[in-house]
């Protein structure tokens, strides 16, 4: 029951918000059209939850910036990635 409540009350609303942001970025060409947004969201959230729940390593701005560069770098349109 607690697990279900955590998913429905905490995780899912945040996931849907993130998917909305990523879809808008895809619609404006900031993310390649052929990018699987569901997988991209998981690739972004997975390391964050791992740090929070498993390794308990710091979740600071430096980590987030590196994560975004790494994950979103692979989702940029070809012409933007070549720059």
């Amino acid at each position: 029951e607690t697990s279900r409540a955590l998913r429905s009350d905490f995780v899912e609303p945040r996931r849907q918000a993130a998917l909305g942001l990523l879809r808008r970025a895809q619609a404006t060409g900031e993310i390649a059209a052929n990018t699987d947004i569901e997988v991209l969201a998981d690739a972004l959230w997975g390391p964050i939850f791992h740090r929070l729940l498993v390794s308990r390593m710091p979740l600071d701005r430096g980590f987030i910036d590196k994560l975004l560069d790494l994950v979103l770098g692979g989702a940029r349109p070809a012409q933007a990635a070549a720059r």
Side-chain angles (χ1 to χ4, degrees), residues 24-79:
R24 281 194 296 276
Q26 193 173 41
T28 61
E30 297 172 83
I31 294 175
N34 64 343
T35 299
D36 185 322
I37 296 299
E38 297 272 340
V39 172
L40 181 58
D42 288 345
L44 288 167
W45 281 107
I48 293 169
F49 280 115
H50 184 271
R51 280 198 172 217
L52 288 173
L53 302 173
V54 178
S55 72
R56 299 194 183 261
M57 293 177 66
L59 189 59
D60 56 22
R61 181 63 186 226
F63 172 77
I64 297 297
D65 287 344
K66 289 177 187 177
L67 175 64
L68 290 172
D69 286 346
L70 178 68
V71 175
L72 294 178
R76 287 192 186 107
Q79 64 195 101

